[in-house]
Amino acid sequence: MVERTLAIIKPDAVKKCVIGDVIQRYEAAGLDPIAMKMMHLSKSIAEGFYAVHRERPFFHDLTTFMSSGPSVVLILEGENAIQVNRDLMGATDPQKAEAGTIRAVHGASIEANAVHGSDSSETAKFEIGYFFPGMDFHAGR
Ligand code: ADP
Ligand code: MG
C-alpha cells in the first residue's frame, strides 16, 4: 500500500552536512519526498511534536537537542513507506543499528541519532498534520 510518513533530518545530521546523503538514501529506497522544509524548531514546537514522550526522563534533553539547530522536515511517500523508512533508519541507538542504516552511518548517540521516522499510520497522520497542516493526506505525488 502506498503510504506517507513524516521524516526529520535532525540537527546533528544537518550540522554534519549530510542532508544530501540522507535524501539520496530515501530516494534510493523508493521513498519519494513530496514535501520538504528546513526549519529551526523552537523548544515548544519540539515539545508538541514529542508530546507522547513527555513523561520520559530524556524528554527535556531530547527537546533541547531538537531545538539546538535547523532540521529538515519531509513527507516521504512510497510503498509501505512507514516500515521501509524505519528499516532504512535502523534502531534508535546507533550502536545497535544494523550496518548500513542511516543511524549506523550518521548517528552519534541514542539522542543525536540523525533522523526521525513515524512509527505507525496513526503517528504519521498526526506528525504530517503537525508540520504540514492542511495537506491532503491522501493526495498522490
Ligand atoms: P525512535 O526515534 O527510534 O522512534 P523513540 O520514539 O523511542 O525512538 O524516541 C524518540 C527520540 O528520543 C529518539 O529518536 C532519540 O532521539 C531520543 N531518545 C530515545 N531514547 C532515548 C534515551 N534513552 N536517551 C536519550 N534520548 C533518547
Ligand atoms: Mg518514535
Side-chain angles (χ1 to χ4, degrees):
M1 188 181 50
V2 175
E3 291 177 329
R4 290 179 174 186
T5 190
L6 193 282
I8 303 178
I9 304 174
K10 295 184 178 183
D12 60 317
V14 172
K15 281 197 187 84
K16 283 174 67 180
C17 300
V18 296
I19 295 170
D21 180 80
V22 172
I23 292 176
Q24 200 155 29
R25 289 167 192 268
Y26 293 149
E27 292 184 312
L31 298 168
D32 303 329
I34 60 160
M36 174 162 64
K37 60 184 172 186
M38 184 174 231
M39 59 187 297
H40 190 144
L41 276 56
S42 66
K43 176 95 167 147
S44 67
I45 293 284
E47 286 169 352
F49 180 73
Y50 279 120
V52 62
H53 292 312
R54 64 185 170 275
E55 306 300 335
R56 303 279 196 98
F58 57 80
F59 183 69
H60 174 75
D61 285 352
L62 170 62
T63 53
T64 298
F65 160 64
M66 289 299 289
S67 55
S68 67
S71 292
V72 177
V73 186
L74 312 91
I75 303 174
L76 303 175
E77 184 177 85
E79 197 63 35
N80 299 319
I82 296 166
Q83 190 59 46
V84 167
N85 188 39
R86 293 295 302 194
D87 293 345
L88 185 66
M89 288 161 60
T92 308
D93 181 352
Q95 298 221 345
K96 295 181 183 149
E98 203 175 315
T101 59
I102 295 172
R103 284 169 163 172
V105 174
H106 295 307
S109 69
I110 194 166
E111 177 179 274
N113 57 6
V115 282
H116 168 84
S118 309
D119 65 4
S120 71
S121 54
E122 288 71 33
T123 321
K125 196 161 190 171
F126 165 75
E127 293 179 350
I128 288 170
Y130 191 79
F131 283 118
F132 298 94
M135 272 205 53
D136 177 0
F137 190 77
H138 294 291
R141 196 186 197 195

